[in-house]
Amino acid sequence: MFALIATIYQLYLLRVHNEKSLKPLGQIFFWDRAETISVQVQNNGIGPLIIDRLTFKKSDTIYSNIKDCVDLDPKSYMHPPLDDTVQRVILPNGSLIIFEATRENHEDEQAMNQVKTALSPITLIVDYRDIYDNKFTVERDFNWFSRHILDAGLPHSENCQVTDSLGLGANKFI
């Protein structure tokens, strides 16, 4: 009888261990280089990240797609179709590109600055879960893109969050 109880307890401990160790770690990652501007959702955990909903917020208005909240030609940037009918799963160390604009679609620096200006007032909220149905949310505003844009000679740094050079440090976990 003791062996049966010990076995059941071991199974319980194994499940708790697996649930804790197979957690996804969602992160909203920005890429801003001379040739490419990109927004990605990355999974830096060791379990699959299952996206339930992507929400874009701009001026207290909620959008379900990034093309609805930027004033750019949709053909000038890459954006996957994002709707609730297709479930998105990001494997460990994988990513999902939410937005990507390249220099070949925007010939000069002024056009790339227009892309950055269009992205700056947006906030992305990602609701996701793990394989055990534990729910998580990660949120990040796009003010980071306005850090080098000049307006009357003054950078927009007063609204920017402090991040490292790759834009890794300004995620807010809820």
Side-chain angles (χ1 to χ4, degrees), residues 26-42:
Q27 184 174 24
I28 300 170
F29 178 79
F30 296 151
W31 185 261
D32 181 8
R33 297 292 182 258
E35 301 297 320
T36 305
I37 295 172
S38 176
V39 176
Q40 301 174 12
V41 176
Q42 292 184 336

Side-chain angles (χ1 to χ4, degrees), residues 2-16:
F2 178 73
L4 181 62
I5 293 173
T7 302
I8 291 172
Y9 183 66
Q10 280 297 95
L11 288 174
Y12 168 76
L13 290 178
L14 182 63
R15 171 142 175 114
V16 169

Side-chain angles (χ1 to χ4, degrees), residues 31-139:
W31 185 261
D32 181 8
R33 297 292 182 258
E35 301 297 320
T36 305
I37 295 172
S38 176
V39 176
Q40 301 174 12
V41 176
Q42 292 184 336
N43 180 4
N44 293 324
I46 58 172
L49 183 148
I50 303 166
I51 296 178
D52 290 325
R53 183 176 53 224
L54 294 170
T55 306
F56 300 90
K57 187 168 60 169
K58 180 179 178 183
S59 303
D60 295 327
T61 305
I62 304 296
Y63 301 93
S64 61
N65 208 321
I66 195 165
K67 71 179 181 178
D68 298 331
C69 56
V70 292
D71 297 326
L72 300 170
D73 179 17
K75 295 179 182 177
S76 68
Y77 60 91
M78 196 277 296
H79 57 284
L82 301 171
D83 55 25
D84 293 335
T85 60
V86 178
Q87 188 176 45
R88 305 282 181 171
V89 177
I90 304 174
L91 297 177
N93 295 318
S95 64
L96 172 66
I97 296 174
I98 304 299
F99 177 93
E100 185 174 75
T102 59
R103 176 73 78 159
E104 59 195 38
N105 294 335
H106 305 278
E107 292 301 323
D108 59 358
E109 187 173 338
Q110 184 178 3
M112 292 298 270
N113 282 339
Q114 288 175 344
V115 172
K116 294 175 189 177
T117 302
L119 289 174
S120 293
I122 299 171
T123 299
L124 174 60
I125 304 164
V126 181
D127 296 314
Y128 66 96
R129 59 189 161 88
D130 62 9
I131 59 174
Y132 296 103
D133 231 14
N134 296 316
K135 298 188 184 303
F136 306 93
T137 298
V138 64
E139 176 179 349

